[in-house]
Amino acid sequence: MDAHGGRRSQAERDAVTVEIGYALVSATFAAAVLFGAVAGPALLFDLPGPLSTVLLRLGLVVAPLVFTARVVSVLLRFRWPAQPAEPGRHSPDS
């Protein structure tokens, strides 16, 4: 049941599933790219110990933050169409 007591159609349930999947996949991609950009030099090059450690830790901190921010932003942008406040009522002047 939805927030208004009615049932969601199959199309609405499918839209929610696709939107959640998109949020998770795009967030994973964004976090991986950011981790690679920040920690990649530490993994690819022979950097001094402290610099390497800082880059890896920074990547491990920032990537989950980007993942979470992306999921939240995608799901918040996904809006349901306005539902009538009363069953059977379809427009404000009816």
Side-chain angles (χ1 to χ4, degrees):
M1 291 199 165
D2 69 7
H4 302 286
R7 290 195 165 281
R8 290 188 176 151
S9 69
Q10 184 64 42
E12 290 172 326
R13 290 191 306 266
D14 290 346
V16 170
T17 302
V18 167
E19 199 66 24
I20 291 169
Y22 171 72
L24 293 173
V25 169
S26 67
T28 301
F29 180 76
V33 167
L34 186 88
F35 178 79
V38 173
L43 299 172
L44 293 174
F45 303 113
D46 188 25
L47 298 176
L51 180 58
S52 179
T53 301
V54 167
L55 289 176
L56 284 171
R57 288 184 181 169
L58 185 61
L60 289 172
V61 168
V62 174
L65 293 175
V66 168
F67 178 88
T68 303
R70 178 67 181 160
V71 168
V72 169
S73 71
V74 168
L75 294 180
L76 286 178
R77 275 190 285 149
F78 183 68
R79 302 278 184 193
W80 290 104
Q83 297 279 334
E86 300 173 21
R89 187 171 177 185
H90 297 290
S91 66
D93 42 4
S94 62

